[in-house]
Structures are given as structure tokens and as C-alpha cells.
Amino acid sequence: MSNYIGKSIKRREDNRFITGKGKYTDDLVLTGMTHLAFVRSPYAHAKIKNINTKAALAHPGVVAIYTGDDCGNFGVPCGWQVNFKNGDTMKEPPHPLLAVGKARHVGENVAAVIAETLQAARDAVELVEVDYDELPTVTDAKAAIQPGAPQVHDDVPNNIVFDFQIGNPKDEVNAAIESASHVTKLNFKNQRLSPNAIEPRSYIADYDVNADKYTLYTSTQNPHLIRLLMCAFVLGLPEHKVRVISHDVGGGFGSKIYHYTEEALVTWVSKQIGRPVKWTSDRSEAFLTDAHGRDHVTTAEMGFDDNGKIVAFRVHSEANLGAYLSTFSTACPTYLHGTLAQGCYTTPLINVDITAVFTNTTPVDAYRGAGRPEMTYILEHLMDTAALEMKRDPVELRRINFIPAFDGVNQPGYQTQVALQYDSGNYHATLDRALEMLDYKQFRKDQEESRTNGKLLGIGFSTYIEACGIAPSAVVGSLGARAGLYESGHVRVQPTGKVSVFTGSHSHGQGHETSYAQFVADTLGIPIDDVDIIHGDTNEVAFGMGTYGSRSLAVGGSAIMKSLDKIIEKGAKIAAHKLEAAEADLEFAEGKWTVKGTDKSITFGDVSLTAYVPHDYPAGLEPGLDFSSFYDPTNFTYPFGTHIAVVEVDKDTGKVSLKRFIACDDVGNVINPMIVDGQIHGGVAQGVGQALLEGVVYDENGQMITGSYMDYAMPRADDLPFFETDRKVTPCPHNPLGVKGAGEAGTIGATPAVANAVMDAISHLGIKDIQMPITPERVWRAMNS
Amino acid sequence: MIPAKFEYIKASSVSEALALLDKHGDDAQLIAGGHSLVPAMKLRLNQPGTVIDIGKIPGLNSIKEDGDDLVIGANCTHHQIATSPIVKQKLNVLAQTAKSIGDIQVRNKGTIGGSLAHADPAADYPAVILASDAKIEVEGINGKRSISGSDFFQGIYATALGSHEMIIAIRIPKASNGVYLKFSHPASRFAVVGCAAIKNGAGISIGLTGVADHAYRASAVERAYDGDAKAASEHAVDGVAVMSDNFASSEYRSHLAKVFTERALSALG
Amino acid sequence: MQIKVSVNGKEHISDVVPMMSLASYLREVLLLTGTHIGCDTSSCGACTITLDGKAVKSCTILAVQADGSEITTIEGLAKNGEMHPLQSAFKENHGLQCGFCTPGMIMTASGLLDENPNPSEDEIRHGLEGNFCRCTGYHNIVKSIQHAAESMK
Ligand SMILES: Cc1cc2nc3c(=O)[nH]c(=O)nc-3n(C[C@H](O)[C@H](O)[C@H](O)COP(=O)(O)OP(=O)(O)OC[C@H]3O[C@@H](n4cnc5c(N)ncnc54)[C@H](O)[C@@H]3O)c2cc1C
Ligand code: FES
Ligand code: FES
């Protein structure tokens, strides 16, 4: 029975947000709280010769000042080990909480000033005198691996973190490309992006001397992971004495997954000074220190036979990881990237070769999509380009190459050339529907006509696939993950039949408090108001891996489902006893157990009460109705879809306007369509941002010249149209809810669709390609060269 | 973010403000809407010791007709100018310009006096000020003077305003036939190129902003114009040192200046 | 310095330093933390409130400049326990995800609708020029405002 699943239930969390009662970390004020401000490196690469804190310490209100000398032996770890092709361990130089010896990117923490007020802390920062010796700088990955390039870390030759390869043997792939009847080759730059959650990162640490306990309030996507990393790998704290709380979080998009130096530092400082301490990033700091996304430089080739079938695909990239390894930085250009090179296509031979590189830039890590948008852009942009080159219709070219539909139940999953096995897919279905929404034939006519009127209309396709709910733990462990990727779900039925659900997933906009409650209420057959979802506090929730990689419902939801199963199973024992029937004769539906074929029944509420007031109770059964489960998936999930962008290019200025955006996605079963649509909308906007607007730019000295909203362009309301969305449903065969994940699909699909649309609008002018962001000047230059 | 320490004084009249400016010298700055000053102070790019608030001085935010001119008080907000019935009727190009500035919130707070005094090379008003032959009326403790646009704008954030002077009003000749067209920066929304064109009888006048280190009158275009907008607009950057930045190189900016000049000329009634 | 302001209909007399922004004053002194700070330099709109009836970015106004003003924040929008039509519309139309931009969006929209009760889609989109949302792609925010405008007729 489904009263809630599949319905657009309005979000229960909204009331607090629309009335200004959300509780974000920076909203909290603790008694005796001090404020921390950082002295940050103004140079991209510089020796720190001396730090003089005397004047700053004398400034009224200053409580303490720390430098790398005080806590330089503490450093944050990388969470994923990727080895060199030859088996050597990746290079993993320390990432100290405050710079030790030298600073490696602009904005790196050099000293921390703690004061009674933020004003005093900020004023004192200006009084700290740091004596730097500037060093030569390298910001570009390709430049960094050249002989003689500046060395970011002394013991990392050529700045190479590791090299990596996935897929079929390279010589086989090379041979197939060489003998292909058509080869499309492009150079790509997946430019560096700044995630820019609108809430800046914020941390408050509170050390309780008497109990020797720490509480860290943090704007994180995964409180337990932060606690684990910080306790076990950074500060060596007893985990049971550390509580991490992440209340409302104002967007993450990946940037709030990682364990940041600032987070461990405030925790450490709180103990040193015996008082609470708060640090909230300002926007300039966010640009300089929130982990960036993307930054791959790539050459890729795709070979086709005479019929337009892909015979081979090869990719070679340098991935810029910045100055230090952020938590999941190493996974992004490798296992989250190379593994997507199959796309929706039957390509028989694939090789992806990646070199990961240190540079004097902000660390790079997962940003919405994490490695998958980069590959999808390469793949889908090559498809449209190949279609243009071979004078084939981009839609037909895709159809020829699509993997045929398979549901993962009656037909097996699809084994790719790049390690993964897809769970289920029906790529034609979303394409068909998207074309219908567009009216493709009519569009081509309009386009023809518009060209005669001097207008440049273009259409771009992207038939993407993505991999989310990354798992299972044993497999990712064998690939180098230093954490498991399961989730916990704890369901506590209260004596009155009300239900508290504790999840290790974390909502920072995804609406878990609503969608989780929907399937819990339906599974138990109770009103949604009887269900409460609790997350974001390590003292309340047993354990958790958090929310990223579109994993919440597929992994976290499944863990809850396991607990619900246990509850129903135990409830049946109690019900059988009360109904004086055999358990096998009972059925559970609509919130009650009924003796099959009779009207004898007992409600969920009565069973709950009996469990806690076990007077008339099955012998040998424990009282209570409270179960916790861990769910470790057997596979990733593989959402897919078709995105179509229609753009118009101003032929005088080169400015691109997005006229229509059509998305037909298949994210498996859908619990709350309204929320899923919202995820797609937001994802698409970020994807459009990469295609047309966004890009972090460094100058030759490693200074970020796009470090504010005056320079870094992100989509605003008037840059976007209403999105046209629809959905197909191919359930995930391997998790109980049949769900796949919707958080990143929009971003992954959208970028190539928009880039392809621009090319479609102007390629008839003899233009081969334009790098992203496709700014007006770039288009104008292409049109006039 | 928090500014460095400063003292704040609210002035209740022009003479009080001028006396305070005189007293505190170069260490003092006026604040009107604060929408250029406050962010710069928070980023600590600007650290005045004294801030003199002229925002509530009576009489500085009126819009009046005076013969052939409109006289616009320095404290008029962009929003006030954009929505003023007199401005819309008699000098619509100015209303259009004001409406193109920033966003609703910025227009509700930022003032024309502050914008002109700040002299951002990408600010919108200067194009119209120049094209319309407006005069900027300023006052110091030693008296008043009236400065033409061409004399006023001198460089990046540099004007003819003395450090002890303040802008009182802007006197702008009415013009019924004018347009302002702007190519906005995708991030800041300031003008990458902004072109104001005004037609007065047979003559036209063109002001361009965003292109060079300060707005300028495109006299070469005006001279060349004989009804052929395209041909005349080719002269939009004649003799001008065109700015270059991450978003628009000088070559592209020059091109945009021509495109927008042509579009503005063609849009004139 | 002493300032006197009326916030959500209630008068406050406070001593503030001139460096304090109005946003910080609302958040730290009056504990009205619904006004958010996303950039602190007037670009993101998260701190939007209405000041004497006009939508403004409170991070870029000094608290001392607001002396004598009437201020409405997101906390003051609901009247007698009843949500403002914009608040209801944002919930109905899923106009928010993480909620961080939401108070600023709603306050900007309230200023917008005050002046233009009948905005077109285009006017709404331009009206939101000063507000970033990184979550929703604006789709449902624009829809929410359209619905609110409709219901306020
Ligand atoms: C997000 C954002 C977007 C913007 N977009 C645009 C845009 O698209 N186009 C554009 O043109 N502008 C734009 N601006 C700038 C905006 O127009 C400012 O409001 C304006 O430049 C300054 O006006 P103000 O009253 O706020 O001045 P304030 O910030 O108060 O003062 C600015 C400077 O002028 C001085 N000053 C102020 N009044 C006087 C006076 N009467 N006499 C002498 N000196 C005085 C001050 O001492 C200070 O040095 C934008 C601003 C922001 C924050
Ligand atoms: S916080 Fe005020 S505009 Fe961003
Ligand atoms: S809802 Fe998150 S920024 Fe708008």
C-alpha cells in the first residue's frame, strides 16, 4: 500500500527554513565563545622564514595565536589510496593544520588568531608579521610535470601524485583506433570550478575540561566520517569523547564532505584555550580554501567503423589535485571517472590513462558529480562532434551504439570494459521521451529557418549514465578506499507506536526528513506524522557515512528498510501471540497484522505497546521494538537519462542564451517526485554553470583572479529558463527500494548538452570546438578566426 | 568580514558634512548608500578613520525640474531615479540607466552621488552623464562649483572632486530621445560595455563606459555619424586605451563597444 | 553608539560599534539568525531584509546607518501565526532545498511584489538578479513567486 511513496509530499523541514528558524552552525552562540581568524598565505608558493606574533598578541582581546610550530605535526589525511601503475604507493605528503616551512597555495592557513571578538581577531591578523621568501609557482597540471617545473613538495618528483590506468590493454585500444574508419579527436579542459554552497563553512568546537569531552558543531555532509578521521588520523582523540553535530547545512555539493584543516584546528584550539571557539569562513576564504572541483586536461579519441559503431575509446588526462590531497581527491579522477568511460554505449575497447598532479593551487576534490561529469563531458561531447564530422544525426549515432535495454532481473547486468557492471538500463526510453518533449523534427526545421534570418540556434544532446551509491565496501576497499561505504539505519518504535528513525545519511537540502518518512510510514502503514527522521549528530545516530555521491536513499534508505523488516518480523511474533495464531497465518498490511482470511487483527500501535509493556508476551522474546542495521550494497546504482539543450548564440557578441532545457531522467523508483525534480533542476543549473559561466582562473603567480562574486560567474535566475523534466522508471534491481539516486544526474547530464548545443549552432561556420566556460569572447573569437 | 576600526559621524546638513570633511581631512570619507564603500571597507581595501554619513541630510534626495534641466539630488537612489515619473518623462535614458544598475537591493540603497564619486570605470551613470552634457554640482567649504562630465571622470576611481568637496546634485539637460544599452559582466553585472546615445535635433552624442579606465565621450563616432550607425560605430574606441581583464580582452571589448554603439544609435528614435 | 530601530514591529535601543553591519546586528544582537550571511559583500542576497519597506542587503549597511528605520526580517513576515503567502508558496512549490538562500529570496520577493504585484516570469527572474541560489536552479523559486503573486490578488 502506498499512501506516501511516489507522492509529492510537501517538505516537513520547510517550516523552519521559511520562517528563519533553521539552525545553521554560524547561528549558534556558546557561552564564553572565542573567535578564530586566519593569517593566510598571500603567496602561492613561499618559504615561511619567520612569523612574528608579538604585536598581534598584545592587541586587546587576543587570547592566543598558533602557528605551524605549535601544531604542525597534526595533518589531515587522504581517504583513498591510489597506487602508481607500477604498484608504488601514491605520494601523500603531510597536509598540516597550519603551514609548516612553506605555503603551497594562496590562502593556505599560516597562523590562527583567537580573540574575544571577531573584530579583535581580524584586527590582530593584520598585526601578525610573516616573513616570506617567494618561490616559483606552478598552477597548471601539464606544466607541473615538465622537467624543471617548480616542486610543490620536495619529495614528490615531477609533482606526480600517481599515474593510473583502467580498461583494456592500451596496445589493443591503440590498434583499434588506428584501424578505425573514422576517428574523432578532441582536446578538453574540464575547467576548475568553485562549489560555492551559499552557506560558508562554519565550525565551533567546545572542549569540556571536566568531562574531557569535545563537541564540534560543523557544517559537514558527514559528521561521523569527520569524527573518525579527526580522532583516528589527525588529533588522536578518543572517539567516544567526541561529539560531532551537524545541524542544518546550507548546501554542500561535495565541498562539505572533506575533513578540512580548519575543522581539526578549532577542535584542537578549544582544548588549548579551554573555551569554545568559532570560525566561519568568509566568501573570500571559501574561494581560496573550499576544495575545488574538476580541473582535468584531456586528449581523447573515439574510433568508429563504417556503420558508425564505436570501436574504441581512449582518454589521456592530467588531473590537477592542487597543493595537497583532499579527502577523496584521489578517487575523483580515477575510480569515479575512468569507470564511466563506457557511457551508454557498447564500446568494446576502452583505455583511460590519468596522471594526477600537485600544483600551487587550492586542493581539488569531488564537486557535484565528482569525476563523472568530467568523463561524461568528454564522452558526450565527442559523440556530438563525431556526428557532425561524420554527417550523421547525433541521435541516430547514439542509437546505433546504445547498450540494449536490460532490467538486471530477467536480463543480466551489463559488464563494462572499465570494471563496473551496470545494474539496469533502458537508454532508448529516455531518449525517445526527451525527443518527444522537444519535437525534434520541428526543431530542425526551425533551426534551418532561423539561420536564414541570421539567428544561430543550436541543439545539444547528452545521453548520460552515472554511477552512484558507491559500494560495496570490500570492493572499494580493494581499490584503495580507506573507509567503508555502507550506511546505518536505526528505527526506534516508541511504546505508543510513534517511530524515530536515525540515519547516518545527512540532509543539506535533499529533504530526507520528508522522503525517508514517506517510505517508513508506508512500510509500517502508519501516518507520516508518526515518523520522525533524525540525522546529523554522532551522539544520536549510531554511525554513518554521510551524504554524497547520490547515495542517501539507495544506501541509507536501504539500511532503514532492513531495520523496518526486522521490526515487522518481531512485531509478527508479538501479533501472533496476541492473536493466538501462527505467525505464518498472519499478514502485515496497512499498519496491522491480520489472520489471513479473517477479520482478526492487531494494529502496529498495539503491538508496539505490547513490546514495551510485555505482560502478555511471547515466551523467550526480548521486550522492545528497536532495531539497528547496516546496509552494504552489492553494487553501485546507475541512473541515466537524456538531456537536450537548445541555445541561441548572439552572432554579434557571441553571447549564448539557454532557450530550453529538456531532461528525461531515469533514477529508478521515485519516493518523492517533487524532491527528485528539484534535485534535477539544481543539478542542471550547476551543469549549465560549468558549460557557460564558471571557472576558477589563476594568474602566472598563482593568484586567483576569480576569487569573488564580482569575477566568478554563477547562474542567476535570469540566466536560466524553466526546465522541462520528465522521467522513466527502471528500478534498481539490487536494493529494497529500487531507487538509484538523483543528486548528481542533473549536473552530469547538463554540461555536455549545453556545450554541444553551442557547437551545433555555430559549427556550420567552420568552428571545431570551444573550451568551457563558453564565454561570449570565446565564441566571438571562434566565429572570427 | 569586518571593517577596520573607524569613527562614525552622522551629518545633519551639508554645511556640517563639509565642516567635518575639513576637520578630518584625508582620513575621512563620506558614506551615502554605502554600497561601494562598505564592501571595500570589509575587505579592508579601504580603511578610513572617520566615516561621515550624509545619507539622511534633508534635501539631498529630491528630483526637480529647472527649466531645460533636471536637477537630481546626490542622495537619490538608483531606484528612485529609475521609477521617478519626471525622469521617465523628460530623461528616460537616465531612468533606463538607473534600472540597469546591479539588482533591486543595490538600487534601493546605492545613490547617484556615491556612484559618480566612486567613479568605477564600469559604472553605468557616467555614460549618460557624458552623453547628456550633464554638470556635477559640488560644494566645498570654499564654495560651489559645477563640473562637466568630461572634466569630472579622470581615471579608475579618480575624479575631479577635491577631498574636501561633496557632490550636491547632478544637473542634466532633458532629452526625450536617448537610449542606454549595456553588456553586463556575468558575475558583477557591472558594464563590460555601456553605451548611452542621445539625439538632440540633428546631432547625436555618445557616452561609453566600461571600455577605458574612465567613461568617455565617443566624439569620433559623433563626428562620423551621418545616419549610418554601423560605419560611425567603427570609431567607438578611436584613440582610447581599452581595458582588458579575465572576462573580456581589449580586442573583444573594443568589438563590444562598436556593437553597442551601433545598437544604441540604431535604437534612437 | 546608540541606535533605535523597529524590527518586526518591535522597538530596540542598542549600543553598537560602527563597524557592525546591520546583518550582524540582527544576528548577533537581536539573535534573529534567519537573516543569513553568504558573502558579506552584497553579492548573494542571503541577507536581504526590508528597510523602510524596501528590500536591501543588510550585510552592506552599517547598523548605525539604520538608526531610526523600520526593519522587517524573515522572522517578522508571518502575521498572527499565519504564514505570509510567499512563505506558503515556497513550501507548496518546493522553492527551497537547503534553505540558506530562502529568507533572502522571500524578502526580495516581498519587496518585488510590493512594487509589482503582477510580475511576468521575466520580471521575476530579473528581480532575483541579486540573489544566488545554488540548490534549486531557481525553477521552483520563480514558480513560488508566481503562485504567491496569484494568491495575493
Ligand atoms: C552587488 C552590486 C552590484 C552593483 N552593480 C552596479 C552596476 O551594475 N552598475 C553600476 O554603475 N554600479 C553598480 N554597483 C555600484 C552601486 O551603484 C553603488 O551603489 C554606487 O557605486 C555607490 O553609491 P553609494 O551611495 O552606495 O555610495 P557609497 O558607497 O556610500 O560611497 C561611494 C564613494 O563615494 C563617496 N561619496 C558618496 N556620496 C558622495 C557625495 N555626495 N559626494 C562626494 N562623495 C561621495 C564616498 O565617500 C565613497 O568614497 C553595484 C554595487 C553592488 C554592491
Ligand atoms: S550576505 Fe549580504 S549579499 Fe551576500
Ligand atoms: S536552497 Fe540552498 S541555496 Fe537556495
Side-chain angles (χ1 to χ4, degrees):
Chain A
M1 178 198 64
S2 83
N3 281 324
Y4 304 109
I5 291 180
K7 300 211 168 97
S8 291
I9 306 289
K10 304 305 169 209
R11 297 204 320 174
R12 305 173 340 142
E13 42 273 81
D14 283 359
N15 288 4
R16 66 177 184 272
F17 296 127
I18 55 182
T19 53
K21 296 285 163 39
K23 202 195 265 179
Y24 302 90
T25 303
D26 188 58
D27 297 344
L28 297 179
V29 178
L30 305 187
T31 311
M33 188 169 81
T34 60
H35 297 264
L36 189 152
F38 284 99
V39 176
R40 295 187 177 279
S41 173
Y43 301 112
H45 199 191
K47 259 207 191 85
I48 300 169
K49 292 203 303 200
N50 185 46
I51 303 177
N52 182 346
T53 57
K54 216 165 145 204
L57 272 170
H59 189 74
V62 170
V63 174
I65 299 180
Y66 299 101
T67 69
D69 286 346
D70 304 303
C71 55
N73 50 339
F74 299 124
V76 294
C78 178
W80 198 302
Q81 179 180 323
V82 177
N83 291 340
F84 279 86
K85 287 178 198 163
N86 68 6
D88 287 357
T89 311
M90 70 179 187
K91 301 292 180 187
E92 194 177 356
H95 186 183
L97 305 190
L98 294 168
V100 176
K102 68 178 188 171
R104 295 179 173 85
H105 69 90
V106 172
E108 182 168 356
N109 320 339
V110 170
V113 176
I114 297 96
E116 300 291 345
T117 61
L118 185 57
Q119 177 89 48
R122 286 282 170 127
D123 289 348
V125 160
E126 302 201 342
L127 301 173
V128 174
E129 291 165 26
V130 187
D131 195 0
Y132 294 99
D133 235 355
E134 253 188 286
L135 297 168
T137 293
V138 65
T139 59
D140 175 78
K142 263 199 177 350
I145 57 175
Q146 300 310 315
Q151 283 279 117
V152 180
H153 297 272
D154 294 340
D155 47 356
V156 181
N158 298 316
N159 298 309
I160 295 178
V161 186
F162 58 78
D163 55 17
F164 169 88
Q165 156 164 252
I166 194 166
N168 307 100
K170 201 173 237 169
D171 44 358
E172 286 177 34
V173 176
N174 291 349
I177 297 241
E178 260 143 52
S179 58
S181 58
H182 180 87
V183 176
T184 295
K185 176 175 179 176
L186 285 177
N187 295 319
F188 296 84
K189 187 153 168 75
N190 263 291
Q191 80 275 27
R192 182 181 279 251
L193 303 176
S194 173
N196 272 300
I198 305 302
E199 179 209 25
R201 287 188 288 131
S202 179
Y203 309 129
I204 305 172
D206 182 13
Y207 176 69
D208 176 343
V209 188
N210 296 316
D212 189 25
K213 281 187 175 174
Y214 299 79
T215 306
L216 171 67
Y217 300 87
T218 163
S219 54
T220 185
Q221 300 177 215
N222 33 232
H224 291 86
L225 194 66
I226 298 306
R227 186 180 62 167
L228 173 62
L229 291 175
M230 188 170 74
C231 292
F233 300 101
V234 187
L235 299 176
L237 304 179
E239 208 173 342
H240 63 303
K241 296 217 168 199
V242 177
R243 176 178 185 184
V244 176
I245 301 176
S246 170
H247 289 303
D248 291 325
V249 172
F253 318 113
S255 69
K256 291 173 181 163
I257 300 173
Y258 322 117
H259 183 34
Y260 285 93
T261 50
E262 292 93 348
E263 210 168 22
L265 188 80
V266 294
T267 309
W268 179 80
V269 165
S270 178
K271 175 160 185 183
Q272 306 309 303
I273 63 171
R275 291 174 61 181
V277 55
K278 177 194 254 184
W279 173 73
T280 299
S281 168
D282 63 34
R283 188 51 56 181
S284 310
E285 291 180 293
F287 272 105
L288 295 173
T289 65
D290 288 4
H292 289 164
R294 322 277 191 259
D295 207 344
H296 292 193
V297 197
T298 302
T299 303
E301 291 133 291
M302 194 175 264
F304 295 85
D305 70 12
D306 288 333
N307 301 319
K309 282 280 266 187
I310 308 170
V311 294
F313 175 42
R314 99 182 148 201
V315 179
H316 182 99
S317 303
E318 276 84 32
N320 189 340
L321 299 189
Y324 296 97
L325 298 185
S326 176
T327 313
F328 288 126
S329 56
T330 48
C332 297
T334 54
Y335 295 107
L336 299 175
H337 174 71
T339 46
L340 263 220
Q342 188 82 49
C344 305
Y345 311 116
T346 53
T347 314
L349 288 165
I350 300 172
N351 184 277
V352 180
D353 190 313
I354 307 283
T355 305
V357 180
F358 282 124
T359 60
N360 295 115
T361 59
T362 300
V364 177
D365 207 321
Y367 162 61
R368 204 168 191 169
R372 292 157 287 162
E374 292 90 322
M375 182 55 81
T376 306
Y377 170 59
I378 295 168
L379 197 52
E380 293 301 307
H381 191 43
L382 270 176
M383 285 304 273
D384 270 31
T385 309
L388 279 167
E389 286 179 358
M390 297 191 287
K391 305 212 165 22
R392 285 177 181 272
D393 183 284
V395 171
E396 285 320 306
L397 186 65
R398 284 180 169 80
R399 287 200 196 277
I400 297 172
N401 285 288
F402 271 163
I403 297 164
F406 59 106
D407 62 11
V409 181
N410 300 307
Q411 301 94 11
Y414 182 83
Q415 181 58 50
T416 71
Q417 304 302 317
V418 277
L420 301 179
Q421 190 182 38
Y422 292 166
D423 55 353
S424 59
N426 185 355
Y427 312 120
H428 288 281
T430 57
L431 178 58
D432 290 342
R433 177 65 190 127
L435 290 173
E436 201 176 279
M437 290 159 76
L438 167 77
D439 196 344
Y440 190 32
K441 286 215 180 81
Q442 186 59 42
F443 174 81
R444 287 292 184 198
K445 275 192 213 139
D446 294 348
Q447 183 182 34
E448 215 38 59
E449 207 177 290
S450 74
R451 280 190 186 159
T452 58
N453 299 332
K455 279 201 174 162
L456 299 172
L457 272 187
I459 188 169
F461 296 91
S462 159
T463 50
Y464 73 92
I465 185 166
E466 70 128 329
C468 48
I470 170 170
S473 296
V475 171
V476 295
S478 73
L479 301 178
R482 289 167 172 168
L485 283 163
Y486 51 82
E487 193 48 271
S488 83
H490 175 182
V491 180
R492 175 177 300 156
V493 181
Q494 311 288 358
T496 52
K498 312 288 184 209
V499 176
S500 308
V501 178
F502 303 83
T503 172
S505 322
H506 184 275
S507 176
H508 28 282
Q510 294 87 342
H512 295 169
E513 287 164 51
T514 305
S515 51
Y516 281 23
Q518 285 178 252
F519 76 79
V520 171
D522 268 356
T523 307
L524 296 179
I526 57 176
I528 196 167
D529 288 343
D530 288 0
V531 182
D532 194 25
I533 307 293
I534 295 134
H535 66 92
D537 183 341
T538 59
N539 268 21
E540 295 206 62
V541 178
F543 199 72
M545 295 308 299
T547 286
Y548 43 84
S550 310
R551 68 194 300 273
S552 293
L553 203 51
V555 189
S558 299
I560 296 169
M561 283 303 284
K562 274 182 79 174
S563 291
L564 293 174
D565 285 346
K566 293 177 192 170
I567 283 182
I568 293 168
E569 203 183 301
K570 181 168 179 182
K573 291 195 168 56
I574 301 169
H577 177 85
K578 295 289 271 190
L579 294 170
E580 296 175 342
E583 228 182 294
D585 292 337
L586 298 187
E587 61 187 0
F588 181 65
E590 305 199 19
K592 51 184 194 238
W593 283 269
T594 309
V595 183
K596 283 180 211 158
T598 73
D599 58 1
K600 269 174 70 182
S601 68
I602 181 166
T603 64
F604 180 74
D606 285 340
V607 166
S608 307
L609 192 63
T610 310
Y612 288 93
V613 188
H615 297 164
D616 175 15
Y617 202 66
L621 192 68
E622 277 180 29
L625 204 48
D626 185 316
F627 282 101
S628 186
S629 309
F630 285 75
Y631 177 78
D632 197 348
T634 53
N635 192 0
F636 292 56
T637 64
Y638 300 91
F640 56 90
T642 298
H643 287 190
I644 303 177
V646 175
V647 302
E648 187 176 333
V649 177
D650 179 329
K651 66 179 179 356
D652 297 331
T653 63
K655 190 175 148 91
V656 176
S657 319
L658 184 61
K659 292 294 174 198
R660 286 180 75 186
F661 197 95
I662 293 160
C664 179
D665 299 285
D666 189 330
V667 298
N669 287 338
V670 168
I671 305 290
N672 185 320
M674 173 190 87
I675 290 179
V676 167
D677 284 344
Q679 289 292 311
I680 299 293
H681 296 157
V684 168
Q686 288 182 359
V688 173
Q690 175 169 16
L692 297 180
L693 295 167
E694 302 183 34
V696 172
V697 179
Y698 288 96
D699 71 9
E700 63 280 11
N701 299 317
Q703 296 292 335
M704 192 188 291
I705 56 178
T706 51
S708 84
Y709 287 145
M710 299 306 270
D711 296 298
Y712 188 87
M714 302 198 299
R716 294 184 184 264
D718 56 350
D719 293 317
L720 299 169
F722 278 128
F723 307 121
E724 304 161 54
T725 55
D726 199 2
R727 205 176 293 111
K728 291 281 162 190
V729 177
T730 309
C732 171
H734 62 76
N735 68 43
L737 290 164
V739 296
K740 289 192 168 183
E744 293 154 301
T747 314
I748 292 169
T751 305
V754 176
N756 289 340
V758 177
M759 291 314 299
D760 184 60
I762 59 177
S763 62
H764 66 289
L765 304 172
I767 298 162
K768 182 143 192 237
D769 199 19
I770 300 179
Q771 297 297 348
M772 300 188 296
I774 305 172
T775 59
E777 173 158 3
R778 287 184 176 166
V779 176
W780 173 76
R781 281 195 181 278
M783 292 196 297
N784 290 281
S785 65
Chain B
M1 281 181 206
I2 200 155
K5 280 209 166 121
F6 62 88
E7 190 196 354
Y8 170 90
I9 309 171
K10 190 156 38 178
S12 50
S13 67
V14 169
S15 54
E16 189 190 346
L18 292 175
L20 285 166
L21 266 183
D22 192 48
K23 179 172 159 213
H24 293 277
D26 288 346
D27 193 34
Q29 284 203 29
L30 301 176
I31 188 168
H35 269 46
S36 293
L37 187 62
V38 173
M41 286 170 63
K42 283 189 166 185
L43 293 164
R44 303 205 170 191
L45 301 171
N46 194 339
Q47 308 197 353
T50 307
V51 169
I52 303 163
D53 191 349
I54 57 169
K56 300 240 164 96
I57 294 180
L60 279 188
N61 64 348
S62 60
I63 298 178
K64 286 188 256 188
E65 271 185 273
D66 185 9
D68 287 340
D69 299 333
L70 288 187
V71 180
I72 302 198
N75 277 354
C76 288
T77 62
H78 311 327
H79 174 263
Q80 210 183 331
I81 294 170
T83 53
S84 150
I86 314 182
V87 179
K88 282 183 167 171
Q89 257 175 41
K90 312 280 170 166
L91 189 65
N92 193 38
V93 58
L94 184 69
Q96 232 180 22
T97 308
K99 200 171 173 195
S100 81
I101 295 175
D103 49 60
I104 291 187
Q105 297 98 311
V106 169
R107 294 195 290 276
N108 279 336
K109 203 61 198 157
T111 67
I112 189 167
S115 172
L116 297 179
H118 187 60
D120 191 306
D124 292 295
Y125 287 128
V128 195
I129 297 293
L130 287 161
S132 62
D133 286 318
K135 294 271 189 298
I136 295 152
E137 302 188 332
V138 310
E139 195 171 333
I141 44 162
N142 300 324
K144 304 181 182 187
R145 58 187 183 126
S146 177
I147 312 173
S148 73
S150 327
D151 291 335
F152 188 82
F153 302 110
Q154 300 187 334
I156 297 186
Y157 309 125
T159 67
L161 203 60
S163 65
H164 299 195
E165 284 180 319
M166 64 182 271
I167 300 174
I168 304 298
I170 297 83
R171 173 176 289 271
I172 316 186
K174 296 173 191 169
S176 55
N177 192 357
V179 288
Y180 180 69
L181 294 178
K182 166 181 185 183
F183 190 84
S184 301
H185 188 285
S188 73
R189 304 282 162 132
F190 273 84
V192 178
V193 164
C195 179
I198 291 175
K199 192 167 184 179
N200 248 331
I204 51 138
S205 54
I206 302 282
L208 277 165
T209 188
V211 182
D213 68 349
H214 61 85
Y216 62 94
R217 193 64 186 256
S219 348
V221 177
E222 296 170 6
R223 279 194 303 272
Y225 184 64
D226 58 2
D228 182 347
K230 178 141 185 67
S233 65
E234 283 304 313
H235 299 280
V237 296
D238 284 5
V240 173
V242 177
M243 288 195 299
S244 180
D245 59 27
N246 177 49
F247 178 72
S249 67
S250 55
E251 204 187 336
Y252 178 60
R253 217 183 219 98
S254 304
H255 167 74
L256 285 179
K258 293 172 192 171
V259 170
F260 278 77
T261 303
E262 184 193 340
R263 286 183 181 177
L265 278 173
S266 311
L268 283 174
Chain C
M1 287 193 65
Q2 201 175 67
I3 59 167
K4 189 163 122 187
V5 288
S6 157
V7 180
N8 301 330
K10 204 169 142 206
E11 210 153 87
H12 296 271
I13 297 175
S14 312
D15 243 329
V16 297
V17 294
M19 284 70 73
M20 180 173 265
S21 72
L22 181 55
S24 298
Y25 170 71
L26 294 169
R27 292 176 54 77
E28 292 164 25
V29 179
L30 303 187
L31 303 178
L32 294 170
T33 53
T35 298
H36 296 154
I37 295 178
C39 69
D40 222 359
T41 47
S42 64
S43 291
C44 76
C47 64
T48 303
I49 56 161
T50 62
L51 181 79
D52 297 326
K54 297 234 169 329
V56 295
K57 292 171 174 172
S58 62
C59 70
T60 302
I61 296 171
L62 303 170
V64 287
Q65 281 178 285
D67 184 25
S69 305
E70 270 187 35
I71 291 165
T72 306
T73 69
I74 187 72
E75 289 94 341
L77 211 53
K79 288 274 161 350
N80 312 320
E82 193 148 319
M83 297 266 193
H84 186 279
L86 272 163
Q87 291 172 309
S88 324
F90 268 66
K91 176 168 180 173
E92 269 317 292
N93 295 283
H94 192 30
L96 62 147
Q97 290 181 25
C98 79
F100 199 79
C101 72
T102 312
M105 286 288 177
I106 292 181
M107 296 312 292
T108 305
S110 101
L112 178 80
L113 294 184
D114 270 354
E115 290 204 5
N116 181 0
N118 241 328
S120 64
E121 180 198 336
D122 217 41
E123 285 169 326
I124 294 174
R125 288 188 183 273
H126 281 294
L128 298 178
E129 243 174 337
N131 296 65
F132 275 131
C133 175
R134 198 61 160 159
C135 296
T136 63
Y138 307 98
H139 182 105
N140 284 338
I141 292 180
V142 177
K143 258 175 58 184
S144 302
I145 298 172
Q146 288 177 326
H147 280 246
E150 202 53 45
S151 74
M152 282 162 80
K153 270 186 196 148

